[in-house]
């Protein structure tokens, strides 16, 4: 399968600002405010950062640790400092010569009682001015609110201050409906309170993935677009914000229409999109965006730095140790089936109803046939989504749907209904067909995200370095020619990340996992030693394989290591859904795995195995190689908070832990020195890095070279076998990388 291409012939939007030298992603919240960011500006300037990227700053659910659960898109979160605090940050950033890029969340807001627009809808129902702002199926009657810990019972509720309350939650009442008969009062509302488990098959709103607490917004409606973006427009037009990052663009009804409207409103503002490209997929040529946020780059770097023969050895050891067979695609297919029927059962029911209307009564397609056909189409759909809309039917999207139909047909007794559904998607001859097409496209992304990233990637534990956002574990390696082809597709405005708040492992933790492909015998030693622990008995070998890799990835001399390992393992097991899950956890089964992890940690704490030390030493060299390549590649380097030095975090919430910058600045690590070196080159020669050609080759065995030529020449050589290299004429601070710069 050919590598992702990002450039295509897609023209880049004309923007007034120069391309960033580097983006620095800072998480606020949990006590970190705009004042925190202001205090960091001098440090960021010294490092050479040109753009500060902030996760969502809009009013979010109280206590939110991330900000993606926005409750009011028209206000800046008071806990961060409010509008006044942000303006102060914007002024300080301008003085420091640092631009601000904001993360915006057009797809959803919080489905809770802190959302003022939602409260208005709960109060007034379809008469609310916000009734059409939310993606609610009003044809189903009252809005289902699955907030209760048990089925609704009138005797547990009372009227208090014009609200319906059970003493814990208080819901607004439609004017004039208060009364003594609680059951009647409840029936008179625009909403229906239900047991939380009803979310599986009775919700009436579009949600984010399977998160019922996040409700979809209808930004395809121009009025909704204007209302949800009013503050964003004001921040940009006032000069306080210089760029935008659009969260989860695949969740929108029509991403192209959305980007067109955004470009029309903010024609000089660069916009990047969170879009996960898979396999040979390209960013749609017609999208008005600077590029994606860069998961493809993290994937390519991990693959090219993986040793192919060593990976084969790891694969053999894993299969022998665990008895696992087959490939990741097979595991993903199974996960898709489970997620469709489980986590996304509500979305499946909605698609059956929409599909029935789309094919029409003359098709005589019953619900059983519709369900069977839709499940088959969803299971065989190969990427996050297609982009059909009223004006566009790309040849690529047609091909994807035709191939999906052919594959799905192999699972079906007859493909008659599947063909009717695909025809509705391809042509959308009626409004009903258009609604089915739109929702199908939104659900495919949710399905792949939940089944791949949040299920199969926690089951297929062979080589965790590949189990990343957008990663394909069956394609764990990339040869030099493939990496060179990847570089040819890189646009200068594309972002290159190696860690972010969504990656499953921080970049240096991932390089420790890459190191096991270089030194498989050392990893085998760690595995064999772990099997001698008494706590290993009764724990699935595949899960133990996961734990050994995870401890290697996260290992540091930190007091909180045990807690972090425990919390991550709990999340991994519940996401995998093989022995436990989030909604109905099996704590006894979890406890056995936790006991094994704790025992392994205790053994390593008492005496760190020599094999682990050797692997970590090689991993540091791989980290240096990754840094050098990331900064030398075409595109914009992206630094996640704290990763300018070594970072060994796991997936959220572990990777959201606050950074101790005072401590960080005392650690003058080779990685920190190399980062400063590469940042200095980019600062000194911005035009070169924007325009120079880029090629990769292997000048000799176990060497990877990246050469960029233009108004100067940059040569980066990295060692893949642990040997020391001469530093070239650029002081890199490490023997794993040689950097040579030539002026023209």
């Amino acid at each position: 399968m050919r590598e992702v291409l990002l450039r295509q012939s897609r023209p880049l939007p004309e923007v007034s600002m120069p391309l960033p030298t580097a983006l620095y992603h800072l998480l606020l919240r949990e006590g970190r405010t705009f004042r925190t960011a202001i205090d960091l500006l001098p440090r960021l300037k010294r490092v050479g950062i040109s753009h500060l990227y902030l996760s969502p700053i809009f009013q979010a659910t109280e206590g939110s640790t991330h900000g993606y659960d926005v409750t009011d898109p028209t206000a800046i979160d008071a806990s961060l400092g409010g509008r006044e605090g942000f303006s102060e940050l914007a002024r300080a950033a301008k003085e420091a010569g640092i631009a601000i890029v904001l993360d915006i969340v057009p797809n959803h807001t919080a489905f809770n009682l802190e959302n003022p627009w939602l409260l208005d809808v709960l109060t007034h129902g379809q008469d609310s001015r916000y009734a059409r702002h939310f993606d609610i199926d009003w044809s189903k009657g009252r809005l289902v609110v699955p907030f209760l810990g048990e089925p609704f019972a009138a005797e547990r509720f009372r009227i208090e201050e014009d609200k319906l309350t059970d003493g814990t939650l208080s819901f607004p009442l439609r004017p004039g409906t208060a009364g003594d008969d609680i059951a009647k009062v409840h029936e008179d509302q625009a909403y229906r309170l239900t047991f939380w488990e009803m979310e599986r098959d009775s919700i009436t709103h579009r949600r984010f993935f399977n998160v019922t607490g996040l409700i979809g917004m209808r930004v395809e409606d121009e009025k909704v677009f204007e209302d949800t973006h009013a503050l964003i427009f004001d921040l940009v037009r006032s000069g306080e914000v210089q760029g935008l990052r659009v969260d989860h663009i695949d969740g929108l009804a029509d991403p192209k229409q959305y980007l067109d409207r955004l470009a029309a409103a903010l024609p000089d503002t660069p916009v990047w999109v969170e879009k996960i490209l898979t396999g040979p997929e390209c960013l749609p040529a017609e999208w008005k965006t600077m590029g994606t946020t860069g998961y493809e780059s993290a994937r390519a770097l991990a693959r090219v730095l993986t040793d192919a023969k060593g990976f084969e050895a790891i694969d053999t050891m894993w299969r022998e140790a665990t008895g696992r067979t087959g490939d990741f695609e097979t595991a993903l297919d199974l996960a898709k089936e489970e997620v469709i029927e489980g986590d996304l059962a509500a979305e499946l029911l909605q698609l059956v109803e929409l599909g029935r209307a789309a094919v029409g009564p003359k098709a005589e397609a019953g619900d059983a046939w519709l369900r069977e056909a839709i499940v088959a189409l969803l299971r065989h759909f190969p990427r996050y989504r297609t982009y059909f809309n009223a004006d566009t039917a790309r040849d690529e999207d047609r091909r994807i749907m035709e191939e999906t139909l052919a594959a799905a047909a192999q699972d079906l007794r007859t493909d008659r209904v599947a063909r009717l559904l695909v025809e509705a998607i391809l042509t959308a001859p009626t409004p009903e067909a258009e609604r089915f097409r739109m929702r199908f496209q939104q659900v495919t992304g949710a399905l792949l995200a939940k089944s791949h990233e949040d299920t199969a990637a926690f089951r297929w534990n062979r080589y965790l370095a590949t189990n990343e956002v957008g990663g394909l574990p069956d394609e764990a390696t990339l040869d030099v020619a493939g990496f060179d082809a990847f570089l040819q597709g890189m646009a200068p405005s594309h972002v290159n990340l190696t860690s972010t708040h969504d990656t499953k492992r921080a970049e240096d933790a991932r390089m420790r996992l890459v190191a096991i492909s270089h030194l498989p015998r050392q990893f085998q030693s760690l595995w064999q030693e772990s099997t001698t622990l008494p706590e290993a008995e009764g724990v699935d070998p595949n899960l133990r394989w996961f734990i050994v890799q995870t401890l290697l990835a996260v290992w540091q001399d930190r007091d909180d290591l045990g807690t972090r390992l425990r919390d991550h393992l709990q999340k991994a097991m519940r996401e995998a859904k093989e022995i436990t899950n989030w909604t109905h956890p099996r704590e006894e089964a979890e406890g056995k795995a936790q006991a094994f992890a704790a025992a392994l940690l205790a053994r390593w704490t008492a005496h760190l195995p020599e094999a682990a030390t050797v692997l970590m030493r090689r991993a540091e060299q791989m980290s240096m190689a990754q840094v050098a390549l990331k900064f030398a590649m075409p595109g914009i380097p992206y630094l996640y908070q704290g990763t300018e030095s070594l970072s060994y975090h796991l997936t959220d919430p572990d990777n959201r832990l606050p950074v101790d910058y005072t401590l960080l600045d005392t650690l003058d690590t080779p990685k920190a020195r190399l980062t400063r070196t590469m940042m200095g080159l980019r600062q000194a020669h911005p035009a070169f890095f924007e325009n120079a050609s880029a090629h990769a080759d292997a000048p000799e065995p176990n060497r990877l070279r990246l050469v960029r030529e233009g108004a100067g020449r940059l040569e980066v050589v990295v060692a893949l076998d642990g040997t020391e290299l001469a530093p070239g004429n650029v002081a890199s601070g490490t023997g794993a990388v040689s950097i040579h710069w030539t002026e023209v």
Side-chain angles (χ1 to χ4, degrees):
M1 183 177 290
R2 65 186 177 88
E3 189 51 59
V4 168
L5 295 181
L6 304 167
R7 187 194 300 270
Q8 284 192 320
S9 58
R10 189 171 56 85
L12 296 178
E14 294 294 331
V15 297
S16 58
M17 61 174 276
L19 289 179
T21 302
L23 289 166
Y24 192 91
H25 185 176
L26 180 64
L27 294 182
L28 301 180
R29 305 189 183 273
E30 295 190 285
R32 290 159 285 176
T33 67
F34 296 133
R35 171 50 57 183
T36 306
I38 291 172
D39 292 342
L40 284 175
L41 289 173
R43 181 184 184 279
L44 298 181
K45 186 175 182 179
R46 287 196 304 273
V47 173
I49 299 300
S50 63
H51 287 65
L52 173 62
Y53 158 43
L54 298 176
S55 286
I57 64 171
F58 306 100
Q59 192 68 46
T61 301
E62 184 177 358
S64 175
T65 61
H66 47 75
Y68 291 93
D69 47 353
V70 175
T71 55
D72 187 353
T74 69
I76 294 179
D77 204 306
S79 70
L80 302 179
R83 178 63 186 268
E84 183 177 344
F86 180 75
S87 295
E88 184 180 357
L89 168 60
R91 287 192 297 270
K94 185 176 182 180
E95 291 174 3
I98 295 176
I100 294 178
V101 175
L102 277 193
D103 196 346
I104 62 173
V105 192
N107 178 68
H108 54 264
T109 59
F111 189 59
N112 63 34
L113 298 174
E114 296 178 35
N115 187 328
W117 293 359
L118 183 64
L119 284 177
D120 197 79
V121 172
L122 293 177
T123 304
H124 302 288
Q126 296 190 60
D127 294 330
S128 168
R129 71 180 297 265
Y130 301 110
R132 297 295 182 269
H133 281 52
F134 299 103
D135 206 341
I136 297 169
D137 184 359
W138 289 107
S139 70
K140 295 298 181 184
R142 298 153 66 196
L143 173 62
V144 172
V145 181
F147 288 0
L148 305 184
E150 53 188 317
F152 177 83
E155 59 271 18
R156 293 200 307 273
F157 284 81
R158 63 182 182 274
I159 306 296
E160 190 175 280
E161 297 180 352
D162 292 326
K163 291 185 178 180
L164 183 62
T165 180
D166 62 358
T168 302
L169 297 172
S170 295
F171 300 89
L173 295 178
R174 188 195 298 271
T177 60
D180 295 330
D181 186 340
I182 297 298
K184 176 66 166 57
V185 169
H186 181 232
E187 291 174 1
D188 288 342
Q189 303 313 308
Y191 54 84
R192 179 163 64 91
L193 303 179
T194 69
F195 182 32
W196 69 267
E197 288 193 349
M198 292 294 286
E199 68 181 8
R200 188 167 182 263
D201 58 11
S202 297
I203 58 171
T204 52
H205 69 277
R206 178 175 65 86
R207 54 186 178 171
F208 170 70
F209 293 170
N210 66 329
V211 183
T212 305
L214 296 173
I215 184 170
M217 304 301 292
R218 298 183 60 253
V219 292
E220 64 272 18
D221 182 288
E222 189 167 0
K223 175 60 176 172
V224 179
F225 177 83
E226 292 172 354
D227 286 352
T228 54
H229 289 67
L231 177 56
I232 296 167
F233 294 160
D234 183 50
L235 293 172
V236 173
R237 290 165 181 165
S238 68
E240 294 185 327
V241 169
Q242 289 75 40
L244 300 174
R245 180 259 197 195
V246 179
D247 180 66
H248 187 49
I249 197 164
D250 275 347
L252 304 182
D254 190 343
K256 178 184 179 301
Q257 177 209 59
Y258 174 81
L259 290 171
D260 286 347
R261 281 183 174 163
L262 202 57
L266 304 172
D268 297 323
T269 303
V271 174
W272 290 272
V273 295
E274 186 198 28
K275 162 63 189 162
I276 300 168
L277 300 170
T278 59
E281 182 180 7
C282 299
L283 196 63
E286 63 275 13
W287 283 14
K288 293 181 179 177
T289 176
M290 306 296 288
T292 77
T293 51
Y295 295 120
E296 308 80 28
S297 300
R299 174 189 171 207
L301 287 168
R303 292 176 66 203
V304 77
L305 293 174
T306 292
D307 184 87
K309 290 184 178 179
F311 169 73
E312 291 176 1
I314 292 293
D315 177 72
T316 299
M317 289 189 293
W318 174 71
R319 293 178 188 276
E320 290 177 352
T322 66
R324 298 271 170 147
T325 59
D327 56 20
F328 178 77
E329 285 300 316
T330 303
L332 178 58
D333 283 348
L334 176 60
K336 280 187 173 182
E337 291 180 4
E338 294 176 12
V339 170
I340 293 168
E341 301 287 354
D343 290 350
L344 299 181
E347 284 69 23
L348 177 58
L349 286 174
Q350 292 168 355
L351 283 175
V352 169
E353 293 180 0
L354 292 169
R356 186 192 314 119
V359 300
K362 292 183 179 179
E364 294 189 344
D367 283 2
W369 290 107
L370 286 163
R371 182 186 184 90
E372 183 181 66
I374 290 169
V375 167
L377 291 171
L378 288 171
R379 189 166 72 84
H380 287 283
F381 192 82
R383 55 178 63 170
Y384 277 78
R385 65 169 286 172
T386 50
Y387 299 98
F388 294 102
N389 60 29
D391 304 317
T392 305
R394 302 187 309 162
D395 290 342
E396 180 180 6
D397 288 337
R398 287 182 174 276
R399 177 184 60 80
I400 291 294
M401 286 310 308
E402 289 166 358
E403 291 176 354
T404 299
L405 174 60
Q410 303 303 309
D411 293 349
L412 301 170
R413 287 165 287 182
T414 169
D415 66 358
R416 181 182 69 88
V417 177
R419 283 188 288 105
L420 292 173
L421 292 169
V422 170
E423 184 62 22
I425 292 171
L426 294 176
T427 63
T430 64
E432 292 79 10
E434 171 61 30
R435 283 192 286 273
F436 173 74
R437 175 168 74 181
M438 180 175 67
R439 186 52 55 90
F440 183 87
Q441 293 183 124
Q442 292 173 308
V443 171
T444 55
L447 173 60
L448 188 54
K450 292 304 300 179
S451 56
H452 185 297
E453 299 168 33
D454 294 340
T455 303
F458 286 106
R459 295 177 175 179
W460 195 256
N461 297 332
R462 171 180 57 190
Y463 179 62
L464 297 182
T466 63
N467 293 18
E468 271 297 349
V469 179
L472 297 174
D474 287 340
E475 299 179 13
T477 63
L478 183 65
D479 62 20
V480 174
F483 186 60
D484 181 69
F486 177 81
L487 295 176
Q488 306 316 306
M490 297 288 289
S493 61
H494 175 72
V495 171
N496 295 321
L497 66 77
T498 41
S499 292
T500 183
H501 61 297
D502 279 330
T503 48
K504 300 301 182 186
R505 291 151 194 94
E507 57 198 56
D508 302 306
R510 192 179 313 118
M511 286 302 105
R512 284 187 175 170
L513 300 171
V514 166
I516 74 175
S517 74
H518 293 260
L519 301 167
R521 290 183 180 178
Q522 279 73 12
F523 183 75
Q524 185 176 34
S525 172
L526 295 180
W527 165 252
Q528 290 175 338
E529 183 182 8
S530 75
T531 63
T532 65
L533 287 168
E535 292 83 357
E537 186 176 354
V539 181
D540 177 25
N542 185 55
L543 184 53
R544 286 190 276 119
W545 190 273
F546 175 93
I547 292 169
V548 175
Q549 286 184 83
T550 300
L551 182 56
L552 176 67
V554 78
W555 177 265
Q556 282 181 287
D557 183 14
R558 289 179 55 146
D559 293 339
D560 63 356
L561 188 56
T563 300
R564 292 169 56 214
L565 181 63
R566 180 198 65 209
D567 292 348
H568 177 74
L569 182 55
Q570 180 190 74
K571 177 171 183 172
M573 288 188 287
R574 292 182 181 183
E575 295 284 16
K577 296 178 278 291
E578 289 185 307
I579 65 172
T580 185
N581 59 69
W582 285 111
T583 58
H584 299 87
R586 297 175 58 204
E587 295 182 359
E588 182 179 352
E590 293 177 3
K592 292 180 179 180
Q594 294 284 13
F596 169 75
L600 186 62
L601 173 59
R603 175 177 286 186
W604 284 28
T605 300
H607 179 69
L608 186 65
E610 177 62 21
T613 301
V614 172
L615 283 165
M616 292 175 193
R617 191 179 304 124
R618 178 63 62 86
E620 286 198 24
Q621 293 179 318
M622 292 297 99
S623 288
M624 300 308 107
Q626 181 175 238
V627 170
L629 294 171
K630 180 176 80 170
F631 277 90
M633 288 162 56
I636 302 163
Y638 170 114
L639 284 80
Y640 184 61
Q641 59 179 28
T643 59
E644 55 268 47
S645 190
L646 295 169
S647 176
Y648 297 106
H649 290 290
L650 303 170
T651 192
D652 66 288
D654 192 64
N655 62 15
R656 301 184 192 275
L657 292 174
V659 177
D660 185 343
Y661 284 99
T662 302
L663 175 62
L664 191 65
D665 287 341
T666 67
L667 303 175
D668 190 24
T669 62
K671 183 184 179 186
R673 295 195 294 272
L674 179 57
T675 298
R676 291 196 298 268
T677 296
M678 298 305 293
M679 283 296 305
L681 280 174
R682 280 193 164 261
Q683 277 189 302
H685 308 284
F688 169 82
F689 282 94
E690 183 172 340
N691 300 307
S693 64
H695 288 281
D697 63 10
E700 56 184 285
N702 297 312
R703 300 290 185 271
L704 173 63
R705 178 170 63 182
L706 192 161
V707 177
R708 301 203 62 184
E709 293 183 297
R713 186 179 191 275
L714 175 66
E715 178 178 296
V716 174
V717 179
V718 301
L720 302 178
D721 59 356
T723 57
E724 295 286 312
L725 298 176
N729 66 351
V730 176
S732 65
T734 172
V737 178
S738 174
I739 304 171
H740 195 91
W741 166 257
T742 304
E743 296 279 359
V744 173

